[in-house]
Amino acid sequence: MKYLAFRRYDVVREAASRKCASSTRARLDDWEERLDKLWAGKPVDEMDGALLATVQANPSLSREPFAEMLQGMRDDANEDIRYDAFRPDLLNYCYRVAGTVGEMLLPVLGLDGSNPKVRDGAVALGCAVQLLNICRDVRTDLIGRRRIYLPLADAKACGLSASDLEELIRSAPTAPKELRRLIRLQNDRAAALLRKAEGALPFMDIGQAVVVGVLIELHWSLHDEIQRREHDTLAGGDDDRVSVPKLKKAAITADASSAASIMSE
């Protein structure tokens, strides 16, 4: 049931990633109508019925994150996206497209969304993931999607105009110090969000903490890799995209499993 419920969101997210904006908006309009019917207790199909059952079994799961995710997808259906400031502009976007996912996954993991520490930690983790992706994909977002997510007010504080920022991302072989400073600022903000997510771990049982802890540690590794490269995520191009090495991922998962086994004995 839970798989079917969250599969609905895979379908909608796929629509939001398509090149045809009008088709994407039509799909999102359809899902908004479905959402209204779902909250009225009238699901349209099996997937919506599964989602309704999940919502009814978890009263702390409100309509808000679903509606906010839809708005985030509508935002992403636009081209030439720019954000003036981190707070509230970019942070709101991160919440809509990723923080909401953290909220929705709480019942899947058996976590209590009515606990503000747990809920805030889930949102913080989702926002951190999105912010790290923004740091990593600076050039890809502009070249492939005509989007610059780095806040323009921060760019100005780092000595870059909006046109300077776009030109550097588009053509510079490596990031100059001004751009590295700008990326570092977002990477540092992601670190603060990861620390906030860690604050929710004491409110989980061993199994839950292991799953969430692995996600947090994997994204600490991505943060550290960006930092190791001195916040130059332009260098290397697609052939050397910033990522967590496979062996590191395996080690993090193995360490978490071992720790859970020891703690459960």
Side-chain angles (χ1 to χ4, degrees):
M1 293 290 282
K2 287 176 181 176
Y3 167 78
L4 288 174
F6 284 91
R7 173 57 188 152
R8 169 64 68 199
Y9 279 88
D10 290 337
V11 172
V12 179
R13 290 182 76 87
E14 286 166 8
S17 67
R18 293 179 180 178
K19 293 182 179 180
C20 180
S22 60
S23 174
T24 296
R25 293 190 185 97
R27 293 289 294 274
L28 293 174
D29 288 343
D30 175 67
W31 177 230
E32 188 167 16
E33 290 180 14
R34 287 172 173 269
L35 189 61
D36 290 338
K37 291 177 181 177
L38 187 151
W39 240 261
K42 300 176 181 179
V44 173
D45 57 20
E46 185 181 11
M47 282 191 186
D48 290 355
L51 181 53
L52 177 60
T54 300
V55 169
Q56 290 174 334
N58 298 273
S60 64
L61 191 57
S62 71
R63 188 182 187 280
E64 180 184 1
F66 298 88
E68 288 289 341
M69 175 180 272
L70 278 172
Q71 184 56 52
M73 292 177 182
R74 290 188 189 282
D75 293 343
D76 261 346
N78 298 318
E79 294 183 339
D80 298 312
I81 289 175
R82 305 290 187 272
Y83 291 96
D84 289 332
F86 173 72
R87 193 183 299 271
D89 305 328
L90 182 59
L91 187 58
N92 280 348
Y93 168 76
C94 290
Y95 167 69
R96 285 172 172 167
V97 299
T100 54
V101 177
E103 282 188 270
M104 294 177 201
L105 287 175
L106 291 176
V108 174
L109 296 174
L111 291 166
D112 181 10
S114 65
N115 184 326
K117 287 282 189 181
V118 173
R119 186 264 178 193
D120 291 350
V123 170
L125 178 55
C127 291
V129 170
Q130 187 64 28
L131 201 50
L132 288 167
N133 288 344
I134 287 170
C135 291
R136 180 192 62 192
D137 297 334
V138 169
R139 177 166 282 156
T140 302
D141 284 334
L142 177 59
I143 302 301
R145 307 170 73 193
R146 297 173 61 182
R147 298 166 186 174
I148 296 177
Y149 293 102
L150 299 173
L152 298 181
D154 290 345
K156 183 177 180 180
C158 293
L160 296 172
S161 67
S163 58
D164 290 338
L165 178 61
E166 180 169 348
E167 181 59 29
L168 285 173
I169 294 172
R170 191 177 296 279
S171 60
T174 60
K177 63 180 181 179
E178 295 86 358
L179 181 53
R180 284 187 281 114
R181 181 183 169 197
L182 176 58
I183 294 171
R184 177 179 179 174
L185 180 56
Q186 315 316 314
N187 204 39
D188 288 347
R189 286 170 172 156
L193 289 165
L194 289 173
R195 285 191 288 271
K196 186 172 184 177
E198 289 173 334
L201 295 177
F203 299 92
M204 304 177 191
D205 66 28
I206 293 172
Q208 295 164 340
V210 166
V211 172
V212 176
V214 166
L215 289 173
I216 292 173
E217 187 60 30
L218 286 172
H219 287 89
W220 268 122
S221 295
L222 181 56
H223 165 276
D224 293 348
E225 180 63 19
I226 293 171
Q227 190 174 63
R228 186 188 69 79
R229 298 188 185 209
E230 298 182 334
H231 305 95
D232 182 359
T233 57
L234 298 187
D238 293 340
D239 294 334
D240 190 28
R241 186 169 181 254
V242 178
S243 63
V244 180
K246 291 182 180 179
L247 287 177
K248 183 68 177 290
K249 290 181 181 178
I252 290 171
T253 304
D255 288 348
S257 298
S258 297
S261 178
I262 292 170
M263 293 173 67
S264 63
E265 289 178 356

